[in-house]
Amino acid sequence: VNYSGDHVLQFICRDITLQKKNEVAIIESEEKYRRLHETMTDCFVQTDMSGQIVSVNKSYKEMLGYTSEEVFKLKCLDITPAKWADMENYILEKQILPRGYSDVYEKEYIRKDGTVFPIEIRVFLLKDSKGVPSGMWAIIRDITERKKIEETILHINEELEQRVKIRTAQLEDAYNEMEAFTYSVSHDLRAPLRAIDGFSKMLLQDYSDIDPEAVRLLNIICQSSGNMGKLIDDLLVFSRVGRANIATAPLKMKEIVSFVITQIKRENATHKAVINISELVDLPGDKTLITQIWTNLINNAIKFSSKTQDPIVEIGCYAETKEVVYFVKDNGVGFDMKYVDKLFGVFQRLHSVDEFDGTGIGLAIVRKAIIRQGGRVWAESEEGKGAAFFFTLPLI
């Protein structure tokens, strides 16, 4: 600008709008940081490399019970029990300095009043503009309540574990006593039963002039003795299934089923059932128990479809994620599903002896043999439309 006279004034101007906006943004950002810093529920602390505290938030001071003036006179070692020193040095040397941060770990702090309490902490390394470590900062959480809950849960678990051990021992004792009783009773019943059956037959054979009514009664005695013998045999099998050691080995499942069907045909040559066998997955199992399972299920299918005009038995399997499901289906009389829970109990029958013979133990044997090999067993049916029995073996 040239004024009148000899003097000329020059001005240099700069637009500082952006600079002012940046300054305002920095101030606002710092203010937000301070507010966040002070309102954090987790505790924040910053130290220099010697462990001297240089910055904390409100939660940190409240957790320890110190004022601002008091807390900045402290080092981290002053509020940490001495027993944690070795662990702190290890974490500093092996985690914080090499990689810039620690894993989350637990230790203890000491409050101003001297009480010791557990904390959870994670530490981060600070570096200056040249990349030299200049300090550390950490997020800390008081985990007193969590530790109390963990101790309570641990105590409850220990109590439950002890109760389970006691209950398991009691059940094992009861089970062993029941098995021993079953075996003993079944074995001891054989001798008097043989005497009853033998003397009855001797009377029938040696005395031809016996009254017809006496003959009828003696025949009933012989028949009942035979049924009792079958019952004892099944009880002994039931007992052996529960007591036998499991000998797991690779099995050819279709070969076992074919063998069972051949044996059934020899014992019951008159049955008319058409038996269809699909491909069967081979799995490890106890051969004796698996043979017993197939024998009982196939025999049942043949028996309960025997009054059907064209009896058919289907045998097959399908694979699930962790197990193979095997099945035996028939088109026989079936049963009402509301009684399905009774099927696998000892001496449980859904049909009278007059309709179908049997002891009522076969499916109980199946259930026990399956469970002992880690499998499951169940049935599906509809009255007059046949039944299907399923059992599983785990995939290895």
Side-chain angles (χ1 to χ4, degrees):
V1 180
N2 189 357
Y3 294 95
S4 60
D6 298 329
H7 301 285
V8 176
L9 299 177
Q10 293 181 330
F11 299 90
I12 297 175
C13 300
R14 188 189 311 166
D15 184 348
I16 60 172
T17 303
L18 181 60
Q19 178 182 331
K20 287 296 182 181
K21 288 182 178 179
N22 289 337
E23 289 175 356
V24 170
I26 291 171
I27 293 171
E28 290 177 347
S29 177
E30 289 177 347
E31 180 61 27
K32 287 179 181 178
Y33 171 75
R34 279 193 293 271
R35 287 202 301 270
L36 176 63
H37 183 265
E38 286 302 316
T39 57
M40 284 174 61
T41 54
D42 286 337
C43 303
F44 171 88
V45 62
Q46 182 180 337
T47 71
D48 61 21
M49 289 305 293
S50 71
Q52 181 68 49
I53 295 174
V54 297
S55 178
V56 298
N57 67 350
K58 182 180 177 182
S59 297
Y60 190 84
K61 291 182 287 184
E62 290 176 347
M63 176 180 68
L64 291 171
Y66 288 101
T67 65
S68 297
E69 184 180 350
E70 291 170 331
V71 82
F72 292 126
K73 295 178 181 179
L74 299 172
K75 286 188 174 185
C76 286
L77 289 176
D78 298 328
I79 55 174
T80 302
K83 66 179 181 180
W84 299 101
D86 290 342
M87 186 190 76
E88 292 272 51
N89 290 332
Y90 176 85
I91 290 173
L92 178 64
E93 294 174 5
K94 300 298 183 180
Q95 295 183 12
I96 299 171
L97 292 177
R99 69 187 189 190
Y101 60 91
S102 73
D103 296 330
V104 176
Y105 64 98
E106 296 179 5
K107 65 171 190 174
E108 292 172 320
Y109 263 175
I110 307 170
R111 290 191 179 93
K112 182 180 177 180
D113 63 9
T115 58
V116 178
F117 64 100
I119 64 163
E120 182 180 80
I121 182 171
R122 189 171 197 179
V123 183
F124 298 85
L125 186 66
L126 292 171
K127 294 182 180 181
D128 61 20
S129 58
K130 296 181 180 179
V132 177
S134 59
M136 291 173 284
W137 66 275
I139 298 293
I140 301 102
R141 182 174 297 171
D142 182 346
I143 57 172
T144 302
E145 291 304 316
R146 191 179 83 190
K147 285 296 182 182
K148 288 180 180 177
I149 293 171
E150 288 176 356
E151 288 176 6
T152 301
I153 292 172
L154 180 61
H155 180 65
I156 291 172
N157 286 340
E158 288 175 349
E159 283 189 348
L160 287 174
E161 186 176 348
Q162 186 61 28
R163 288 180 185 178
V164 169
K165 286 181 179 178
I166 293 171
R167 184 60 177 158
T168 300
Q170 290 173 341
L171 288 173
E172 286 179 352
D173 288 344
Y175 176 78
N176 290 333
E177 288 175 4
M178 184 199 71
E179 293 292 338
F181 174 77
T182 302
Y183 183 85
S184 177
V185 169
S186 301
H187 187 270
D188 293 344
L189 282 174
R190 284 182 174 276
L193 189 63
R194 281 195 296 267
I196 293 169
D197 184 58
F199 287 126
S200 297
K201 288 179 179 177
M202 286 173 62
L203 286 172
L204 288 171
Q205 293 172 2
D206 297 344
Y207 297 90
S208 57
D209 57 346
I210 296 178
D211 181 79
E213 179 62 14
V215 172
R216 185 182 73 84
L217 294 175
L218 286 169
N219 282 325
I220 291 174
I221 291 173
C222 290
Q223 184 179 357
S224 298
S225 299
N227 292 337
M228 186 67 178
K230 291 178 182 178
L231 181 59
I232 290 172
D233 289 340
D234 284 351
L235 279 172
L236 287 172
V237 171
F238 184 76
S239 178
R240 282 196 295 269
V241 167
R243 297 160 65 90
N245 294 324
I246 302 296
T248 302
L251 301 178
K252 299 281 187 183
M253 203 63 74
K254 197 164 186 178
E255 289 183 8
I256 293 175
V257 171
S258 297
F259 169 79
V260 167
I261 292 171
T262 300
Q263 292 299 108
I264 291 173
K265 188 67 176 177
R266 288 176 183 171
E267 297 170 5
N268 183 12
T270 60
H271 87 75
K272 299 178 182 179
V274 175
I275 303 176
N276 299 320
I277 310 173
S278 302
E279 288 302 315
L280 299 174
V281 175
D282 295 333
L283 281 181
D286 184 289
K287 188 173 183 179
T288 301
L289 294 183
I290 293 296
T291 302
Q292 187 72 56
I293 291 164
W294 283 118
T295 300
N296 287 13
L297 291 180
I298 296 171
N299 260 325
N300 271 8
I302 292 171
K303 176 169 64 177
F304 289 106
S305 64
S306 61
K307 296 182 180 181
T308 305
Q309 185 173 356
D310 297 306
I312 298 174
V313 176
E314 301 284 346
I315 299 171
C317 73
Y318 57 89
E320 297 283 6
T321 305
K322 296 181 180 180
E323 60 189 4
V324 174
V325 181
Y326 298 92
F327 60 81
V328 178
K329 300 179 181 180
D330 65 70
N331 62 342
V333 294
F335 58 85
D336 190 333
M337 282 295 289
K338 70 181 180 181
Y339 301 115
V340 69
D341 292 339
K342 293 184 176 182
L343 275 179
F344 298 98
V346 179
F347 305 129
Q348 297 293 333
R349 299 177 57 91
L350 300 186
H351 301 278
S352 69
V353 178
D354 294 336
E355 290 181 281
F356 299 99
D357 63 357
T359 60
I361 301 178
L363 290 178
I365 293 171
V366 168
R367 180 178 178 275
K368 181 174 285 191
I370 287 298
I371 290 175
R372 292 209 64 199
Q373 295 177 92
R376 302 178 295 123
V377 61
W378 70 95
E380 297 173 2
S381 182
E382 187 175 345
E383 285 188 286
K385 296 186 178 180
F389 286 82
F390 303 85
F391 71 89
T392 69
L393 288 176
L395 285 167
I396 302 301

